[in-house]
Amino acid sequence: MPRTLPADDLLSATGVAACSRGAASTRDRCDTGEVLDLRPSCECCDRDLPPESTEAMICTFECTWCVRCVKTCLGGTCPNCGGDLQPRPVRPADRLADHPASTRRVVQTGLHRA
């Protein structure tokens, strides 16, 4: 059975700071400057994928695809890196002002199958 660590132990165990929402701290542990781009569209069909979308999938390089294209066109694998695709996290609305989503659209022609 996997062991669950308290949030404060995540940094020492993984080397990654855990976000501590509401914790009293002099520095917000979520504001590292490194955040996901949250690209605005599917790279296959150019469908809009706003920051709050639960239909966005990403690979470890943040290539962004909609769920429909992942199933019908890509077979669950990123055509760029060969990695698996996972649901993109939704950034909380109160964090978008300081960390806005990307506006750069990337579309790869030839991948989409209607």
Side-chain angles (χ1 to χ4, degrees), residues 42 45 47 49 55-57 64-71:
C42 175
C45 69
R47 173 183 171 194
L49 295 170
E55 297 291 311
M57 305 283 286
T64 304
W65 317 95
C66 70
V67 171
R68 190 182 90 210
C69 287
V70 167
K71 291 178 183 175

Side-chain angles (χ1 to χ4, degrees), residues 85-100:
L85 298 164
Q86 297 294 317
R88 181 181 74 189
V90 173
R91 183 165 301 147
D94 65 338
R95 296 291 184 145
L96 285 170
D98 290 332
H99 304 287

Side-chain angles (χ1 to χ4, degrees), residues 2-16 18:
R3 187 175 82 129
T4 303
L5 296 172
D8 291 342
D9 290 344
L10 287 176
L11 178 57
S12 60
T14 65
V16 177

Side-chain angles (χ1 to χ4, degrees), residues 10-48:
L10 287 176
L11 178 57
S12 60
T14 65
V16 177
C19 290
S20 57
R21 205 180 260 278
S25 172
T26 57
R27 182 174 172 272
D28 186 341
R29 294 166 64 179
C30 293
D31 288 335
T32 63
E34 299 292 325
V35 296
L36 293 175
D37 281 345
L38 300 183
R39 295 179 186 162
S41 62
C42 175
E43 292 184 30
C44 185
C45 69
D46 201 33
R47 173 183 171 194
D48 287 341

Side-chain angles (χ1 to χ4, degrees), residues 51-82:
E52 68 276 4
S53 176
T54 58
E55 297 291 311
M57 305 283 286
I58 60 172
C59 71
T60 61
F61 292 97
E62 289 189 68
C63 300
T64 304
W65 317 95
C66 70
V67 171
R68 190 182 90 210
C69 287
V70 167
K71 291 178 183 175
T72 62
C73 304
L74 307 176
T77 302
C78 178
N80 299 323
C81 70

